[in-house]
Amino acid sequence: MVHVNDGYLNLRAGYLFPEVARRTEAFLRAHRGADLIRLGIGDVTRPLVPSAVAALKEAADEMARAETFRGYGPERGYDFLIEKILAHDFAPRGVSLEPDEVFVSDGAKCDTANIQEIFSPDATVAVVDPVYPVYVDTTVMARRAGPPDAAGRYAGLTYIPATEENNFAPAPPEGLDADLVYLCSPNNPTGAVFDGKTLAAWVAWARERGAVLLFDAAYEAFIRDETLPHSIYEIDGAKECAIEFRSFSKTAGFTGLRLAYCVVPKALTGEGPDGGRVPLHALWNRRVGTKFNGASYPVQKAGAAVYSEAGRREVAANIAYYMENARVIREGLAEAGYRVFGGENAPYVWLRAPGGDSWAFFDRLLETCEVVGTPGAGFGPSGEGYFRLSAFGDAERTKEAVARIRTRLPA
Ligand SMILES: *Cc1c(COP(=O)(O)O)cnc(C)c1O
């Protein structure tokens, strides 16, 4: 009988979002006609910008004619898109990359998970805690972690606590022992962003140790503070120790279209069995060429359109819309007496849950305000005591939610 991958059996049951849904539905059954406001969502709500829609339609028409039809494209992505990525996402920040260091894909979620495949099975992993649950679960699936303890901490996986003391953006802790470190900046769920000094400490640590940083910048477009890095390659030496992940999902509202990319610099190496240096670029290139057939042509055309002058203006307006929601949540809750974090360079506001139990606060917020948020404990052990509110909702409804919290549930 075939044996299953026991990494999957080691996973804790999907808990956070199913449990949020279960409690919300139970509340709605008990309170018919409740006027619920959902500030728990990690998805965008604004429609696609006109430039992207026009490019999609144009590409669909091209696909309809024999002369302009396109079948399989380059696995790594079309040059017309990669050129725009280099010119707009990196060159203005002083980062120069070669076009073939960029790998276009259909999602940063799968990229951050799949990247583990090019490392030895015994590579050890560290995550900043709390964080996007994908990094932890995919580490467990890859059999790089042992069973979880009562608090949900998997054995063999290193959790680096993100706390108020370190502004939720920890530097490498003393004696950190890991081969791969996931860093998410701006962070989901805390909204914290690594500053240049802390990132430089990570790069120095990784180079010294021969570790690789897996830098998820899915929310970089939300950074407002001019002094904060958008790319890890803004730090000297990062090309020798970091892989960066980007996504059009939150930046341009492509969660339903699917487009992302990752950067694997040619200068980045790992150790081979004989102790020699092996370029990770060659391995990832091989992986992509073998297991992936590219993101779809119309979607890549839509992605390129996002970089046009009109596209950039339209996308910036959507981001400004969400960031105004973030401001409304952050300032309104602070005025209501809450301790709030994030929301200034990220679409998430992170707050201290009064009472310290994040699920208890979830229930109280739902019952007194009819507002749904996300308990911090669901993002990792260090998230207990905190709560995430998302700025991806409708502006009027967000204001209404904040008004309810201020009047019915001040801290
Ligand atoms: C939403 C999100 C992504 C985006 O993933 P896609 O697969 O590109 O939609 C990546 N990382 C984090 C932390 C996210 O929250």
Side-chain angles (χ1 to χ4, degrees):
M1 180 71 103
V2 63
H3 287 160
V4 301
N5 176 350
D6 58 3
Y8 282 69
L9 306 182
N10 194 22
L11 286 167
R12 285 212 308 164
Y15 181 64
L16 178 61
F17 292 104
E19 182 63 14
V20 165
R22 194 190 65 76
R23 293 190 191 205
T24 307
E25 279 154 28
F27 177 80
L28 283 174
R29 268 195 308 276
H31 303 83
R32 299 214 179 264
D35 182 23
L36 210 63
I37 304 179
R38 295 177 195 268
L39 295 187
I41 42 167
D43 195 355
V44 297
T45 54
R46 308 286 298 154
L48 280 179
V49 297
S51 300
V53 174
L56 271 178
K57 288 181 176 165
E58 216 174 282
D61 287 338
E62 286 178 51
M63 297 295 254
R65 290 189 302 272
E67 314 80 67
T68 48
F69 168 78
R70 302 206 184 207
Y72 289 128
E75 290 99 352
R76 274 192 318 98
Y78 282 102
D79 287 338
F80 65 74
L81 175 59
I82 293 174
E83 279 161 20
K84 291 251 190 316
I85 288 171
L86 296 187
H88 293 282
D89 290 350
F90 294 99
R93 306 207 61 86
V95 176
S96 91
L97 295 169
E98 291 174 36
D100 61 353
E101 293 180 308
V102 174
F103 295 85
V104 174
S105 76
D106 58 359
K109 186 186 207 175
C110 37
D111 283 346
T112 55
N114 290 333
I115 199 71
Q116 288 206 19
E117 200 179 307
I118 63 170
F119 298 98
S120 159
D122 63 6
T124 53
V125 180
V127 295
V128 172
D129 168 42
V131 86
Y132 188 48
V134 172
Y135 315 147
V136 172
D137 287 1
T138 58
T139 297
V140 175
M141 289 170 166
R143 305 176 83 234
R144 290 194 168 97
D149 66 13
R153 274 190 194 82
Y154 288 97
L157 174 62
T158 301
Y159 294 79
I160 303 164
T163 62
E164 285 181 41
E165 290 69 43
N166 58 37
N167 296 315
F168 301 100
E174 200 66 46
L176 174 62
D177 183 20
D179 299 317
L180 301 172
V181 183
Y182 281 100
L183 300 176
C184 180
S185 178
N187 185 273
N188 175 9
T190 66
V193 186
F194 284 108
D195 61 18
K197 190 164 157 269
T198 310
L199 270 191
W202 275 108
V203 166
W205 172 83
R207 288 169 55 111
E208 165 83 28
R209 150 99 202 191
V212 173
L213 305 174
L214 303 172
F215 189 76
D216 184 347
Y219 295 97
E220 63 78 31
F222 295 82
I223 294 175
R224 287 285 168 278
D225 179 342
E226 296 285 336
T227 67
L228 294 171
H230 290 237
S231 167
I232 193 158
Y233 305 119
E234 292 175 49
I235 311 299
D236 281 342
K239 283 186 187 170
E240 281 138 55
C241 65
I243 293 172
E244 182 161 310
F245 303 91
R246 296 273 187 115
S247 174
F248 288 72
S249 283
K250 315 304 170 15
T251 306
F254 276 38
T255 51
L257 271 190
R258 313 305 306 139
L259 191 64
Y261 65 89
C262 73
V263 177
V264 184
K266 290 182 187 158
L268 179 61
T269 58
E271 195 179 300
D274 57 359
R277 311 302 299 174
V278 178
L280 295 179
H281 181 274
L283 302 191
W284 186 247
N285 194 46
R286 183 62 199 255
R287 196 257 174 218
V288 168
T290 303
K291 295 198 177 182
F292 190 56
N293 258 333
S296 91
Y297 172 70
V299 171
Q300 292 192 61
K301 285 300 266 190
V306 161
Y307 293 102
S308 67
E309 217 179 295
R312 280 183 292 155
R313 203 172 47 239
E314 293 159 0
V315 161
N318 276 354
I319 289 175
Y321 179 97
Y322 296 132
M323 290 310 286
E324 173 60 12
N325 286 345
R327 187 192 65 77
V328 164
I329 298 171
R330 192 166 46 80
E331 292 182 1
L333 268 76
E335 282 163 25
Y338 287 85
R339 274 183 73 79
V340 294
F341 310 91
E344 288 177 303
N345 298 288
Y348 297 117
V349 174
W350 188 240
L351 50 122
R352 189 103 71 90
D357 179 330
S358 63
W359 280 107
F361 183 71
F362 174 91
D363 291 334
R364 213 168 338 128
L365 185 64
L366 183 58
E367 277 152 25
T368 57
C369 302
E370 302 184 353
V371 170
V372 180
T374 315
F379 296 100
S382 297
E384 180 55 301
Y386 294 88
F387 202 77
R388 190 190 80 174
L389 291 175
S390 158
F392 282 131
D394 172 79
E396 287 314 309
R397 299 293 283 164
T398 301
K399 283 185 195 146
E400 165 67 17
V402 170
R404 288 184 198 170
I405 296 170
R406 289 181 65 163
T407 52
R408 301 183 205 167
L409 193 61

